[in-house]
Amino acid sequence: MLKQLGRLERTRSIIIVGFAVLMAVSLIVFYAPGRNTNYLEPTKSTEVVAKVNGSEVTVADVALQKEAVQSRYGGQISLAQLGLTNEKILDGVIQRKIIEQEALRLGLAPSQADVAAEIRKQFRDPTTGQYVNLDPDKDLEKYRQIAVSQSGDVERFEQQFHDQLAYRNLRAFITSSVTVSDEEVEDNYRRETTTLNLTYVLVSPEKLAEKITVSDDELRAYYEQHKTDYRIDEPQKKVRYLYISQDKAGAKLQISDKDLRERYDQMSPENKQAGVKVQQIFLRVARPDLDAQVEQKAKDLIAKLRGTGSHATKEAFAEAARGNSEDPATAKNGGFLNRLVKKNPNKPDALYERAVDMQPGDVSDIPIKYGGNWYILRRDEAVPKTFEEAKPELLASLRNSRSYGVAAKLAERAQARLKETKDPQKVAKELAAEANMQPSEMVKETDYIRPGDDVPDIGSNQQFEQAIAVLNNPNDVGERTGVKGGFAIPMFVDKKDPRIPEFDEIKNKVAQALKQERAKSQVEQNARELAAAINNPGEIKAAGEKAGFEVATEQDFKLGATLGKAGTSPALDEAIYALKQGSITKTPVKVGDSWVIVGATQRVDPDMATFGPQRAGRTSQLLTNRQNQVFDDYISKVQERLKQEGKITIYKEVLASLQDDEPVAAPPGQQFPFPTN
């Protein structure tokens, strides 16, 4: 703890003993016979999910790692949207354990004094840069609160600093011999800054398949050879269902101004804002070598505007904008944007939205680099949203919420009547007027479907699948189910048991498969023949279109970017970089299942005179990237060796019990939860 950091060496054993006693009590309480550990809060659960060379990984370790990754995104995006599973999160925690063990094995583990010094850095005085000597009697609780808020408890807080130092020490040791040459840095600069205007043709098996014709005899022969591939292992059901549209059911709702006014009065102060006024000073970076100079100018302007505080009057900022901002449209208006700014949760890194979190009158504490230029922002007052301005969105919101209720009640009545009559057409006619629909719009029928199938108008809907799963007899009626745009009440029509379908039933699928198979075997030859017939970029468009393939252009292309529908690959980048202006790739490049023929209509190589001022920064960045790769490879090899030796054990039943509704994705280039420099 912070009051004891200076005495951490002699108090650590006491802390560990105390913590061990606490853990023993916890184990007795939570792991007593009959006790279900799943009731534990995940971030506090000591249930073991894996072992790494004898070291335990707990459910809490995984849960806290999920929270840590989500916090990097400011909570603005759900973990599920970021793409990884609990298995991959656990893999990252396992790698962290490996780093800790390797550092210890190689004598690189940090001492308690090192950890204490690292923690003290979190308590520097920002004005002096000096460490703050916290009073043990007054500041112990403050330290404990910070540790608990960040890591759950003091021990875990201190362990994270220990892990971070172990990572730094091990990484420095492993990558100490990594170097980059001047030639490599220059080549990297050329590759990153060369731009090309391209024209290309994508020779894909999908397009080639469209041109292939097959006879019925060929299809039947193919079906006989592959019929078991089409086996349906689950029963298929056909259902007829009544559909109630939420929008149409609510379209006739009468919503008074009184209702809207009440909803307006209930809105939070934030939602009653039309937005905030924002002023800017825009400083353009004309050339890369001027970047530092422009940044310093921005810092000087900020220091002058803020003075000893964080505020500046709009008049003072307006004067500075008129004299310095290089955006004529806003400069002549005192820096004021011509629109109000509101937070957009879908764009957490947008430029002007950052000002919304500032206090009225606040000026950016540091210059903001955005789009290669520098910005200084000032937040002005919020502008209230009047009732009349809010009325359209209030009407839409209230109509939406009420129409849901109307549609839900109508669907409930439809369900009851369908169970009584077993006649969807009759029920549709009875309720069509209230539903504001035609009977023909309300009665729909599926094909033979099984779980996971994409149903027209509904999509793949797990609730709908559950509603029809219990229907097994003709005219069985299921429960009303929320589907896209409204509600559906299904009624069983027919069922087909697991089987190999007859040829006529899947003829279209068989034709598509045979054409794709033939296309894949022919696509390379087609691409080579097409490339041989093209002599320069100007001929690509006409030749590609005549052959029936997709042709496109790309302006200002840089290596690493995606080439439209062609995609990206290292081989494609190499082929493009080798192009001279007016030349083409005479040998097509394979990307996935397709082949690409590319021509350069223009090539702009970098002016190496601008490279000099960037050399040091680019050398450092390239070295860091290479060190990261070497270190990642080292840890991956250790992990693979431990797996082969049986020293990594994952308890799959425990892992399976974790909620997996918020998978996370580590940011690109950051495999481990520590800084890379």
Side-chain angles (χ1 to χ4, degrees):
M1 297 176 219
L2 192 58
K3 76 168 187 174
Q4 298 168 323
L5 290 179
R7 300 171 290 168
L8 197 56
E9 293 279 2
R10 54 192 174 87
T11 61
R12 191 74 174 183
S13 59
I14 298 174
I15 293 172
I16 292 173
V17 171
F19 186 69
V21 173
L22 178 61
M23 287 296 294
V25 173
S26 300
L27 288 170
I28 294 171
V29 172
F30 291 113
Y31 288 91
R35 184 82 181 194
N36 187 348
T37 59
N38 289 332
Y39 289 110
L40 286 169
E41 181 183 341
T43 56
K44 296 179 181 178
S45 173
T46 56
E47 189 172 13
V48 177
V49 69
K51 285 187 178 180
V52 183
N53 212 11
S55 180
E56 294 179 345
V57 176
T58 67
V59 169
D61 294 327
V62 176
L64 287 167
Q65 180 62 17
K66 291 172 74 172
E67 288 186 359
V69 176
Q70 188 179 30
S71 70
R72 294 175 188 166
Y73 295 87
Q76 297 293 323
I77 185 169
S78 72
L79 296 178
Q81 291 174 290
L82 297 176
L84 296 183
T85 61
N86 279 325
E87 285 84 352
K88 292 185 178 180
I89 299 166
L90 173 61
D91 192 62
V93 179
I94 288 173
Q95 289 179 344
R96 191 172 67 196
K97 287 285 185 184
I98 291 171
I99 292 170
E100 180 183 358
Q101 293 172 1
E102 282 295 287
L104 182 64
R105 183 181 70 84
L106 295 170
L108 301 170
S111 67
Q112 286 108 340
D114 294 333
V115 175
E118 187 68 18
I119 292 176
R120 283 197 188 95
K121 293 179 182 178
Q122 303 299 310
F123 298 91
R124 283 180 182 269
D125 184 330
T127 58
T128 65
Q130 300 299 312
Y131 293 139
V132 178
N133 295 318
L134 300 180
D135 188 304
D137 297 322
K138 296 180 181 178
D139 298 306
L140 173 61
E141 182 59 23
K142 177 182 177 183
Y143 173 70
R144 190 193 69 79
Q145 289 175 356
I146 292 172
V148 171
S149 68
Q150 292 188 14
S151 308
D153 58 53
V154 174
E155 290 298 317
R156 196 177 294 275
F157 179 73
E158 294 177 356
Q159 183 64 39
Q160 287 175 343
F161 282 93
H162 179 278
D163 292 347
Q164 188 178 67
L165 287 173
Y167 165 82
R168 291 180 185 174
N169 293 347
L170 181 63
R171 182 180 179 278
F173 177 77
I174 298 300
T175 64
S176 59
S177 61
V178 177
T179 61
V180 293
S181 67
D182 288 345
E183 292 75 14
E184 289 175 304
V185 177
E186 287 191 23
D187 182 62
N188 178 262
Y189 176 74
R190 287 191 175 92
R191 295 174 68 87
E192 286 188 358
T193 54
T194 296
T195 61
L196 301 101
N197 291 347
L198 305 172
T199 181
Y200 65 94
V201 56
L202 178 65
V203 184
S204 66
E206 291 77 20
K207 283 292 184 181
L208 184 57
E210 294 175 5
K211 302 189 294 179
I212 294 175
T213 58
V214 289
S215 68
D216 278 2
D217 289 342
E218 289 174 312
L219 290 177
R220 287 186 180 277
Y222 185 83
Y223 166 76
E224 290 299 329
Q225 293 172 359
H226 299 85
K227 62 188 334 180
T228 56
D229 296 344
Y230 296 97
R231 179 178 181 82
I232 298 171
D233 297 321
E234 300 175 76
Q236 290 177 300
K237 294 181 180 180
K238 175 182 282 191
V239 298
R240 191 173 293 121
Y241 64 95
L242 279 170
Y243 175 67
I244 308 294
S245 167
Q246 178 180 330
D247 287 343
K248 291 187 176 182
K252 291 185 176 181
L253 283 174
Q254 298 299 315
I255 299 176
S256 66
D257 273 10
K258 179 183 176 183
D259 296 333
L260 296 175
R261 175 67 70 175
E262 288 178 356
R263 177 63 69 93
Y264 177 77
D265 292 339
Q266 294 168 3
M267 289 171 64
S268 65
E270 294 80 11
N271 289 332
K272 285 185 179 180
Q273 288 183 4
V276 301
K277 295 180 181 179
V278 175
Q279 290 172 282
Q280 72 163 2
I281 296 175
F282 168 71
L283 301 176
R284 187 185 306 279
V285 179
R287 301 195 313 271
D289 59 303
L290 298 176
D291 185 75
Q293 181 179 333
V294 177
E295 181 185 9
Q296 187 57 51
K297 178 180 178 180
K299 289 179 178 179
D300 294 342
L301 283 170
I302 289 174
K304 182 178 179 181
L305 287 165
R306 287 167 61 102
T308 58
S310 62
H311 285 51
T313 66
K314 62 182 176 183
E315 292 81 10
F317 196 95
E319 182 180 352
R322 292 188 188 101
N324 296 279
S325 183
E326 296 176 65
D327 176 19
T330 56
K332 67 181 181 182
N333 196 33
F336 278 103
L337 304 181
N338 60 4
R339 65 177 178 89
L340 298 175
V341 178
K342 291 190 70 174
K343 270 286 187 183
N344 184 347
N346 297 320
K347 297 181 179 179
D349 296 324
L351 171 62
Y352 299 119
E353 280 74 357
R354 305 178 196 191
V356 178
D357 294 329
M358 297 159 59
Q359 295 299 312
D362 274 0
V363 174
S364 314
D365 55 351
I366 58 173
I368 301 171
K369 185 72 171 290
Y370 195 85
N373 299 300
W374 292 97
Y375 292 80
I376 304 168
L377 302 181
R378 177 187 177 274
R379 185 203 193 274
D380 203 62
E381 297 296 332
V383 176
K385 183 188 298 180
T386 66
F387 170 68
E388 291 299 326
E389 290 171 334
K391 196 172 178 178
E393 63 185 75
L394 288 170
L395 180 61
S397 173
L398 197 54
R399 186 180 297 281
N400 183 60
S401 60
R402 290 188 178 179
S403 64
Y404 178 87
V406 169
K409 289 181 179 179
L410 193 57
E412 188 174 8
R413 287 170 52 202
Q415 175 185 312
R417 287 293 292 142
L418 190 57
K419 286 184 176 181
E420 292 172 6
T421 66
K422 309 296 184 180
D423 188 340
Q425 291 290 349
K426 181 178 181 179
V427 178
K429 289 178 181 178
E430 290 176 0
L431 301 179
E434 290 183 67
N436 194 28
M437 300 173 69
Q438 296 295 322
S440 59
E441 296 178 284
M442 298 176 65
V443 181
K444 302 189 177 188
E445 188 170 287
T446 72
D447 198 351
Y448 286 94
I449 57 174
R450 55 183 172 173
D453 282 352
D454 196 1
V455 180
D457 301 324
I458 289 179
S460 181
N461 185 302
Q462 191 173 23
Q463 288 179 306
F464 188 72
E465 291 173 3
Q466 291 171 350
I468 66 177
V470 296
L471 309 180
N472 293 297
N473 301 302
N475 296 330
D476 278 356
V477 177
E479 301 298 313
R480 65 171 186 175
T481 304
V483 296
K484 183 170 58 178
F487 292 87
I489 305 98
M491 187 177 78
F492 182 92
V493 175
D494 192 20
K495 179 173 72 172
K496 290 184 177 180
D497 292 323
R499 70 204 186 283
I500 295 177
E502 295 298 323
F503 170 73
D504 289 337
E505 188 179 345
I506 57 169
K507 182 177 178 180
N508 289 339
K509 285 186 177 179
V510 173
Q512 185 179 22
L514 179 55
K515 288 179 180 181
Q516 282 287 332
E517 184 177 294
R518 290 187 176 177
K520 286 182 179 179
S521 67
Q522 299 171 16
V523 67
E524 180 180 358
Q525 183 60 33
N526 273 251
R528 291 184 180 276
E529 290 174 358
L530 182 59
I534 299 172
N535 297 305
N536 57 66
E539 297 179 2
I540 288 180
K541 186 176 189 298
E545 290 178 346
K546 181 179 179 181
F549 296 111
E550 293 184 78
V551 178
T553 60
E554 192 80 21
Q555 302 296 310
D556 299 325
F557 178 85
K558 290 186 177 181
L559 298 191
T562 299
L563 185 63
K565 292 184 179 180
T568 184
S569 76
L572 183 59
D573 272 354
E574 289 302 319
I576 290 174
Y577 187 61
L579 289 175
K580 296 180 180 179
Q581 186 165 309
S583 67
I584 67 168
T585 52
K586 291 301 291 183
T587 301
V589 182
K590 192 174 189 297
V591 182
D593 291 332
S594 301
W595 294 80
V596 188
I597 304 165
V598 190
T601 56
Q602 184 180 32
R603 177 180 178 124
V604 180
D605 290 302
D607 179 3
M608 295 306 292
T610 64
F611 171 67
Q614 300 182 47
R615 180 185 293 275
R618 285 183 169 273
T619 300
S620 176
Q621 185 60 55
L622 189 59
L623 178 61
T624 297
N625 292 343
R626 184 164 296 178
Q627 289 172 334
N628 289 344
Q629 187 60 56
V630 168
F631 186 69
D632 290 355
D633 290 345
Y634 175 84
I635 297 301
S636 295
K637 288 177 181 177
V638 174
Q639 184 176 7
E640 185 60 32
R641 175 175 57 78
L642 291 176
K643 284 181 181 178
Q644 292 175 355
E645 294 174 355
K647 294 181 179 179
I648 295 180
T649 304
I650 297 175
Y651 300 101
K652 294 183 178 179
E653 67 282 0
V654 178
L655 184 62
S657 71
L658 298 177
Q659 289 187 352
D660 201 21
D661 57 343
E662 291 186 330
V664 298
Q670 190 169 347
Q671 184 175 3
F672 305 107
F674 306 119
T676 55
N677 51 27

